[in-house]
Amino acid sequence: MNKTSILGVPVLMYHALDSPARPAGAKDVGEHRYILKVTQFADHLTYLYREKFKSFLLEELLDLGTWPDKAVVITFDDGHESNYFLALPLLRKFGFKADFFITTDWIGTDRYMTVDQIRELHKCGMGIGSHGVTHNFLSNMDEGEVKQELRQSMEVLSSITRGRIVSFSIPGGRVQPCLFAAAEQLGYRIVCASHPGLWKKGDFSFSIPRLALESGTDMNTYKFMVNGKKAYINKMLIRYNILLFLKKSMKTDSYEYFRKYILKRI
Ligand SMILES: [Zn+2]
């Protein structure tokens, strides 16, 4: 077993990109911290290219016998139109691939990708996965509603790509216990979560950790992420678990206050 097979592969989580000519928008104000400048994304890909990283689609990596060193997975959540206008040209320029998770009710709405744009991503060799129908948190749904989100979004996306949809990313990272069995039953092979960590070969593929890129992520932090620096990953995990505890035990206003406090200190 090589180093990557033991330590794992970073699965990066992006959302919208922003440029002066095409300012980003997000349905949820809370997501503004996830909007990156297109120049930041270009810097990330330049680094990966120079350091000879190779990007893989999630399903490709799942089926790959040996995971090479310097492997990385790039994912985008929500289906922002900037994924098509800003991310795709850069990915193609550097020869990288990415998986795009689409919220199907948002297709063709203001600042979100259209059917044709999603189809074009797919034609260019990008992965298309589901991010649910409504983006409502699965944790607030009963089993029937969770299955409906999984099934309906899969149907919509497979009719767009005329292919199988095998991956799902959990809206807001809010897990519902029945999700994994329901996803497997419907034919999904991969579920991406939002807790930080590296994807280790042989791990349960229905709760893949991801590393979130935020507007404030600087290049040094980015290098820690893609190189899987253990101290950094552990720090992110501690921060995530503290925030998760606060999220469960506080009202939204107090949570936002403490969240800012913790992000400054950890
Ligand atoms: Zn989302």
Side-chain angles (χ1 to χ4, degrees), residues 15 31 77-78 80 101 103 106 131 135 137 169-173:
H15 290 79
E31 289 193 6
D77 276 7
D78 297 343
H80 296 271
F101 292 106
T103 302
W106 294 353
H131 196 40
H135 205 278
F137 296 151
S169 116
I170 308 169

Side-chain angles (χ1 to χ4, degrees), residues 7-15 34 36 44 53 58 71-77 192-199 208-214 217 221-237 239-240:
L7 293 178
V9 169
V11 180
L12 306 175
M13 174 172 59
Y14 291 90
H15 290 79
Y34 291 119
L36 267 72
H44 295 171
F53 276 84
L58 288 156
V72 64
V73 177
I74 301 168
T75 71
F76 282 84
D77 276 7
C192 279
S194 302
H195 59 282
L198 300 174
W199 182 16
I208 294 175
R210 289 189 293 173
L211 300 170
L213 278 302
E214 300 193 9
T217 308
T221 309
Y222 178 77
K223 288 175 191 173
F224 290 159
M225 281 183 179
V226 292
N227 291 296
K229 192 173 160 65
K230 214 173 168 190
Y232 169 78
I233 306 284
N234 287 341
K235 189 175 103 169
M236 286 299 103
L237 204 54
R239 180 201 270 191
Y240 178 85

Side-chain angles (χ1 to χ4, degrees), residues 55-66:
S55 67
F56 290 87
L57 297 181
L58 288 156
E59 195 182 22
E60 267 179 351
L61 203 56
L62 183 66
D63 292 335
L64 200 65
T66 305

Side-chain angles (χ1 to χ4, degrees), residues 22-241:
R22 284 193 176 275
K27 293 255 190 266
D28 178 355
V29 176
E31 289 193 6
H32 282 183
R33 70 176 183 274
Y34 291 119
I35 299 174
L36 267 72
K37 291 193 170 57
V38 68
T39 48
Q40 287 176 285
F41 185 59
D43 288 346
H44 295 171
L45 297 190
T46 305
Y47 175 80
L48 294 181
Y49 183 80
R50 279 200 199 131
E51 295 297 317
K52 299 190 166 47
F53 276 84
K54 188 169 176 351
S55 67
F56 290 87
L57 297 181
L58 288 156
E59 195 182 22
E60 267 179 351
L61 203 56
L62 183 66
D63 292 335
L64 200 65
T66 305
W67 289 5
D69 285 336
K70 302 223 170 187
V72 64
V73 177
I74 301 168
T75 71
F76 282 84
D77 276 7
D78 297 343
H80 296 271
E81 66 170 8
S82 61
N83 295 177
Y84 175 80
F85 287 114
L86 301 175
L88 179 64
L90 282 169
L91 288 163
R92 296 190 78 186
K93 177 181 164 191
F94 287 99
F96 291 125
K97 302 170 185 178
D99 283 280
F100 293 84
F101 292 106
I102 314 290
T103 302
T104 56
D105 262 3
W106 294 353
I107 296 173
T109 64
D110 187 31
R111 294 184 183 174
Y112 287 82
M113 285 189 284
T114 63
V115 165
D116 286 344
Q117 290 166 347
I118 296 167
R119 198 169 278 149
E120 186 65 23
L121 285 181
H122 182 66
K123 275 190 197 156
C124 293
M126 303 295 152
I128 303 294
S130 163
H131 196 40
V133 176
T134 60
H135 205 278
N136 292 338
F137 296 151
L138 305 181
S139 50
N140 299 330
M141 295 181 192
D142 64 30
E143 195 174 338
E145 290 167 324
V146 170
K147 283 185 175 166
Q148 173 69 6
E149 288 274 334
L150 291 166
R151 187 186 301 113
Q152 192 183 324
S153 56
M154 180 191 255
E155 282 168 6
V156 169
L157 293 166
S158 55
S159 81
I160 292 174
T161 61
R162 300 187 183 98
R164 293 152 52 248
I165 300 298
V166 297
S167 57
F168 182 82
S169 116
I170 308 169
R174 310 290 179 96
V175 179
Q176 216 275 20
C178 75
L179 166 67
F180 307 123
E184 191 173 14
Q185 214 175 49
L186 287 165
Y188 285 100
R189 302 183 66 203
I190 290 158
V191 174
C192 279
S194 302
H195 59 282
L198 300 174
W199 182 16
K200 295 185 184 67
K201 185 153 180 60
D203 273 1
F204 181 52
S205 68
F206 283 74
S207 185
I208 294 175
R210 289 189 293 173
L211 300 170
L213 278 302
E214 300 193 9
S215 51
T217 308
D218 60 22
M219 261 327 269
N220 272 340
T221 309
Y222 178 77
K223 288 175 191 173
F224 290 159
M225 281 183 179
V226 292
N227 291 296
K229 192 173 160 65
K230 214 173 168 190
Y232 169 78
I233 306 284
N234 287 341
K235 189 175 103 169
M236 286 299 103
L237 204 54
I238 290 167
R239 180 201 270 191
Y240 178 85
N241 284 323

